[in-house]
Amino acid sequence: MAHTETHAAVGAPIKQVSEYTVNSITMLAAAVRQWRRVVARRKVLADLTPDQLRDIGQPEINRPVLEIKAGLMTNLMSMR
């Protein structure tokens, strides 16, 4: 009969992930989620009309406004 020996398997130690690394990854994921929510909110608010913004209680977004004086078209047509 052949001689056999049993050996305990000894492998490389399992690398433990530190608590700091786990916390860092969790905080990073939360920050990315929060950033995506903020961007989505801004896009939605930018598409709303001033009336809709007032309905939901948001201040109006500062959008560029073109002010045209009365009679401008008449003056331009007369210059033609």
Side-chain angles (χ1 to χ4, degrees):
M1 187 151 204
H3 178 69
T4 59
E5 293 182 17
T6 56
H7 295 283
V10 178
I14 298 173
K15 185 175 180 180
Q16 295 289 325
V17 178
S18 71
E19 187 176 330
Y20 173 76
T21 305
V22 173
N23 287 343
S24 297
I25 292 170
T26 304
M27 288 174 51
L28 180 62
V32 168
R33 262 187 257 122
Q34 181 68 22
W35 174 76
R36 291 181 69 195
R37 285 185 193 134
V38 168
V39 169
R41 278 189 200 117
R42 284 183 188 159
K43 285 181 182 178
V44 169
L45 287 175
D47 293 337
L48 295 178
T49 65
D51 291 332
Q52 290 171 327
L53 288 171
R54 277 192 298 272
D55 287 345
I56 63 173
Q58 289 287 327
E60 282 191 41
I61 297 174
N62 293 331
R63 294 182 177 153
V65 177
L66 180 62
E67 294 183 20
I68 300 173
K69 294 180 182 178
L72 177 65
M73 286 305 295
T74 306
N75 291 340
L76 291 175
M77 294 302 284
S78 66
M79 290 179 177
R80 206 176 100 170

